[in-house]
């Protein structure tokens, strides 16, 4: 194999390199919710992934320094909500530190297993947490899907280059 000069300027691994590379990767946007000791908690995630069809399982990552981590660490169940293009402000609210995520602007209800379920999303699921795997300053949460509703309307919300957006035809 011959080395080429078309690779650009390689940099050593760092948090900045990881963020820079993943800004080039378009990802779907989800909100993860749980019941906390003093009320509902939630955060915006772009790490949602399908893991297994049988049993139906998914995964997501959560930072251990985030305000939602204590509730996610202690919850047996979580809500997973796939957001639509029309929900950019909702995604931003759940991503913003210190925001009143379940304030008057957020339409939600208590769902199965006491999990907060957001209204008007294209799809939602309630999942049983199976395990939390340490991964640096995050935990990868593996969860089994118990029930959900994929019949909501809207095109998916995407995150790319540090911004929320939608699909282009």
């Amino acid at each position: 194999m011959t080395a080429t000069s078309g690779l650009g300027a390689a940099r050593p691994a760092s948090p900045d390199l990881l963020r820079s590379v993943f800004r080039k990767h378009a990802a779907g946007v989800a909100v993860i919710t749980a019941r906390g000791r003093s009320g509902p908690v939630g955060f915006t995630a772009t790490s949602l992934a399908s893991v297994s069809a049988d049993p139906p399982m998914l995964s997501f990552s959560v930072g251990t320094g985030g305000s939602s981590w204590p509730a996610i660490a202690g919850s047996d169940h979580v809500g997973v909500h796939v957001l639509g293009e029309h929900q950019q402000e909702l995604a931003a609210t759940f991503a913003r530190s210190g925001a009143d995520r379940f304030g008057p602007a957020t339409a939600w209800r208590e769902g199965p297993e006491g999990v907060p379920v957001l209204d008007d999303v294209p799809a939602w699921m309630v999942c049983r947490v199976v395990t939390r795997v340490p991964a640096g300053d995050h935990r990868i949460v593996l969860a089994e899907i118990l029930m959900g509703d994929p019949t909501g309307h809207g095109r998916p919300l995407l995150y790319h280059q540090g911004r929320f957006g939608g699909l282009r035809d």
Side-chain angles (χ1 to χ4, degrees), residues 30-92:
V31 167
I32 311 299
T33 61
R35 183 175 49 194
R37 288 184 185 194
S38 58
V41 301
F43 66 96
T44 299
T46 57
S47 59
L48 182 64
S50 170
V51 173
S52 169
D54 190 18
M57 294 181 74
L58 56 79
S59 70
F60 60 87
S61 297
V62 56
T64 56
S67 61
S68 296
W69 169 242
I72 300 295
S75 293
D76 293 330
H77 297 88
V78 294
V80 177
H81 308 81
V82 175
L83 298 190
E85 283 180 327
H86 63 287
Q87 296 176 305
Q88 291 185 27
E89 186 54 41
L90 182 67

Side-chain angles (χ1 to χ4, degrees), residues 40 42 89-90 92-108:
E89 186 54 41
L90 182 67
T93 297
F94 276 83
R96 195 169 33 252
S97 179
D100 185 5
R101 296 173 178 161
F102 288 91
T106 302
W108 66 282

